[in-house]
Amino acid sequence: MLSPARSWYPNLISRSSTVLQLDELLAHAIVSGHHPDLILATRLVSRLSDLSDLPRARLVFSSIPNPDLFLFNTLLRSTRNPFTSISLFSSLPRHHLHPNPFTYSFSISSSSSFSSSFPGRMLHARSIVDGFAADAFIGAALTDFYLNFADIASAHKVFDRIPQPDTVSWNSLLSGLIKNSAFSQSLNVFARMISLGTAFDRTTLAVALPAAAESQDLNLGMEVHCLAVKSGMASHSHVVTGLISLYSKCGEVSTARSLFDGIEGPDLVTRNAMISGYSLNEEVGFSVGLFRDLMAIGGKPSSSTLVGIIPVFSPFGREFLTQCIHGFVMKCGFDMNSSVSTAITTVYARLSHLVSARKVFDEMPVKTLASWNAMISAYAQNGLTEMAIRLFQDMQALNVCPNPVTVTSILSACAQLGALSMGKWVHRIISEEDLELNVYVSTALIDMYAKCGDISEARKVFDSTEDKNVISWNAMISGYGLHGQGQQALKLYEEMVNARIAPSGVTFLSVLYACSHGGLVEEGKAVFQSMVCDHGVKPGPEHHACMVDLLGRAGKLNEALEFIQTVPENAGAGVWAALLGACMKHKETGLAQLASEKLFELDPENAGYYVLMSNIYSANRNFPQAAMVRQAAKSRKLAKTPGCTLIEIGEKPHVFTSGDRSHPQTEGIYSKLEELMAKIIEAGYRAETDAALYDVEEEEKEHMVRVHSEKLAIAFGLMNTEPGTEIRIIKNLRVCLDCHSATKFISKVTERLIVVRDATRFHHFRDGVCSCGDYW
């Protein structure tokens, strides 16, 4: 016959709804002599945990003289505080209790809440020592744990040791990879799961669909759709919602709407998917319409609803709508929701309202990785590269792990700024954090290395990139063009065509640019012809401008003018700007006047054209005309962009302007510069003063060009680096003729490689010779 504790106590415990009722039952059991009792204690601990009274649960546990492992695991599973969980695991009386897979699994799951992965790794090691290296239950917990810390490689290693992972284990791996934005890996895992004949469920399909959607792999998504239909799971709400998102993100919004219309009484999640689908495809009117329908039937929007109607993908012309939504968000209290705030930050950034974007970001109570990504991307895309890098450093200081989106944005910022050491640091983070090196990250690395002057490293990344897309090829071809390696760019373009990668308009622009800066006139003409005839790509204004530049640089000014006369009237100012630049190179005043008249008419607010024309007159010693052009610019209140040069020493940037004396090492810099000038004059250098803007004595002109920002930066670099170290500088404008000449001599007398990035290209100076061959 069962004792009361075994017969009616458990039933009463399960029916208790308050801690007070449980206290009364425990008191009754103690008075009646039914406690301490192992079964009663186990039920009480479990129910107290359900009611979130862990201190009482711990007291009940401690009242049992010899608890068994089941009671211990019950308490451990209910302990949500990771410190308490680890402490409890450590207190396990091992003289008569030994941890089993459940003990380790509950402890490992709890350790995911630590800011560091160290405790979980220690538990992993202990589980191996205790003989549970291949246990499926522990393996699933460890997979979740490592993915929680974005350690994808360790997660794969643990998962691969599970002898026969079940559907739940596969789903955990898939969902964890999705959370880490490792979409291509998750699709590979899904394909492997299906090929092995592992049973899948609707959760598997609901997880696989977002991976296909984010990868914009419509064919694979449709295969998953077919699989869902064949297995009878296509009508499940989670699967339908995933399909709506898939088709929307792949541009098939009409198919998504057909699926939505086929649902009888769609729930909020499905409505949100359709609202987001419309916004994603820039059909904001339909998105807002669905939102109004929801409000009309008395529905309550969720954070996902509001994220969906925020016009992130088509913000222009919708500032008022954005402000209205922002007001609604604040009124409803959703401004404390990180996903909503992130979307608002993003839309303000795309509207170039960076102050508003940063205000929303700073006011977020909890900043998610997506929030950091949105603000970093905002700065990078608006040209505030230093702010983007500074924010990324703040993020690192707070131990927020980046993902591929983060590093792609910050690599773009490094490329714009020319911050090679910072770019290398980000590359190391990618390796150390084992971030997914997808095609977007690889392309960003190629672009960064190319624009920071390390074209050989860019090629290494390019060659190691699997599944290259057209953007990857374009980045490498463009990199060769920037470095004046026209033949390499042409060779790579031919490889791209042979690999059956369809070239885009950007591809042809990159190839034409490379031909222009490499003096490959006939090759450039052939590429331009093939662009239209063989590939059906219509030339845009930028292609026409590049062709004028190609001809003009080669001195074929009349042919360039004839080409301009064949381009459409809406080609814009670019073609004339290219012609004016060529006239500057070849000191052709007559055509320059024609080009400048056209430019002053088409783009009267661009100060650069006035500067170019003034330089042309000055080079021909027509100082009165040069003064008139400068006066015309001044009367229009146009200001010339001040020239400056950046150099990195020990990962710290230093910026110089012409005649700069603000640097702490100014005295040493000018002393070093005088020493350099004496050496290069002895080696044959003569100052190039033709483009000096003032009708002053030659000696004064020589002094003016002597203190240009490039020379100051090089002198500073020589002072602060070891002999033989290469010097890398970045000029925001086109490097002047005198600085180009002086740098050739400096490279010879100092036996240094000096890499200069100016506004249009790279110059590699070595042994008195520039890689551009003086063709720039």
Side-chain angles (χ1 to χ4, degrees), residues 13 72 88 91 235 238 262 284 317 345 486 489 516 519 582 668 683 719 745 756:
I13 289 170
F72 182 83
L88 190 62
S91 69
S235 60
H238 292 323
V284 178
T345 299
S516 175
M719 289 170 53
F745 281 96
V756 179

Side-chain angles (χ1 to χ4, degrees), residues 126 131 327 472 535:
R126 286 280 294 273
S472 312
H535 298 280

Side-chain angles (χ1 to χ4, degrees), residues 380-696:
Q381 290 173 6
N382 282 275
L384 299 175
T385 51
E386 292 183 18
M387 294 291 288
I389 290 171
R390 195 175 304 142
L391 195 61
F392 178 68
Q393 291 170 328
D394 291 344
M395 174 181 164
Q396 288 287 294
L398 293 170
N399 294 318
V400 180
C401 294
N403 67 3
V405 176
T406 323
V407 296
T408 300
S409 295
I410 207 65
L411 285 170
S412 172
C414 292
Q416 292 176 50
L417 196 60
L420 180 62
S421 58
M422 177 66 70
K424 286 182 175 179
W425 175 57
V426 176
H427 196 172
R428 285 197 299 273
I429 289 173
I430 293 170
S431 302
E432 290 167 4
E433 299 287 347
D434 196 35
L435 295 176
E436 183 186 23
L437 199 63
N438 61 31
V439 68
Y440 303 105
V441 175
S442 297
T443 302
L445 281 168
I446 294 166
D447 186 59
M448 183 276 294
Y449 278 118
K451 288 180 178 175
C452 290
D454 197 337
I455 193 68
S456 59
E457 192 64 33
R459 185 58 194 252
K460 286 179 185 177
V461 176
F462 176 81
D463 289 339
S464 65
T465 301
E466 298 179 5
D467 301 323
K468 302 179 190 72
N469 62 15
V470 66
I471 303 172
S472 312
W473 289 87
N474 290 350
M476 196 63 238
I477 292 170
S478 174
Y480 279 132
L482 277 173
H483 289 264
Q485 298 183 23
Q487 292 290 359
Q488 290 285 357
L490 278 172
K491 183 181 176 183
L492 194 61
Y493 164 69
E494 290 169 3
E495 289 178 18
M496 176 182 178
V497 173
N498 292 335
R500 299 188 181 278
I501 304 292
S504 65
V506 175
T507 312
F508 287 108
L509 186 62
S510 300
V511 177
L512 290 173
Y513 179 93
C515 290
S516 175
H517 284 261
L520 305 172
V521 178
E522 295 306 316
E523 292 89 340
K525 286 181 179 179
V527 169
F528 186 79
Q529 187 71 18
S530 126
M531 172 182 174
V532 180
C533 300
D534 300 333
H535 298 280
V537 177
K538 184 180 179 181
E542 62 280 4
H543 299 98
H544 292 125
C546 212
M547 281 300 295
V548 174
D549 188 61
L550 172 78
L551 297 167
R553 282 178 188 274
K556 300 177 182 291
L557 297 176
N558 289 326
E559 190 176 344
L561 180 60
E562 290 171 8
F563 180 84
I564 290 175
Q565 292 166 350
T566 68
V567 304
E569 290 184 8
N570 62 354
V575 290
W576 294 105
L579 182 62
L580 183 60
C583 290
M584 171 66 193
K585 176 179 172 63
H586 298 286
K587 301 179 182 178
E588 173 54 59
T589 309
L591 271 180
Q593 287 177 328
L594 172 63
S596 64
E597 287 171 7
K598 288 286 187 181
L599 288 168
F600 296 159
E601 176 188 333
L602 291 168
D603 191 6
E605 302 304 314
N606 192 319
Y609 304 144
Y610 291 86
V611 173
L612 264 179
M613 197 64 220
S614 177
N615 286 350
I616 292 170
Y617 282 128
S618 295
N620 285 284
R621 298 189 174 277
N622 190 343
F623 299 113
Q625 281 295 108
M628 286 178 64
V629 173
R630 292 197 304 275
Q631 185 57 42
K634 188 176 180 181
S635 66
R636 300 186 71 93
K637 297 182 179 179
L638 301 178
K640 175 183 178 291
T641 302
C644 64
T645 301
L646 177 145
I647 182 170
E648 276 191 313
I649 301 292
E651 300 188 6
K652 182 181 178 182
H654 300 262
V655 180
F656 295 89
T657 56
S658 183
D660 198 340
R661 288 189 173 272
S662 62
H663 197 277
Q665 297 184 36
T666 288
E667 294 303 321
I669 292 168
Y670 276 84
S671 175
K672 184 68 175 179
L673 184 57
E674 287 302 315
E675 177 191 327
L676 276 176
M677 296 307 293
K679 287 183 178 179
I680 65 175
I681 288 171
E682 186 180 342
Y685 159 78
R686 295 294 177 269
E688 300 278 358
T689 60
D690 283 351
L693 298 180
Y694 301 101
D695 185 11
V696 296

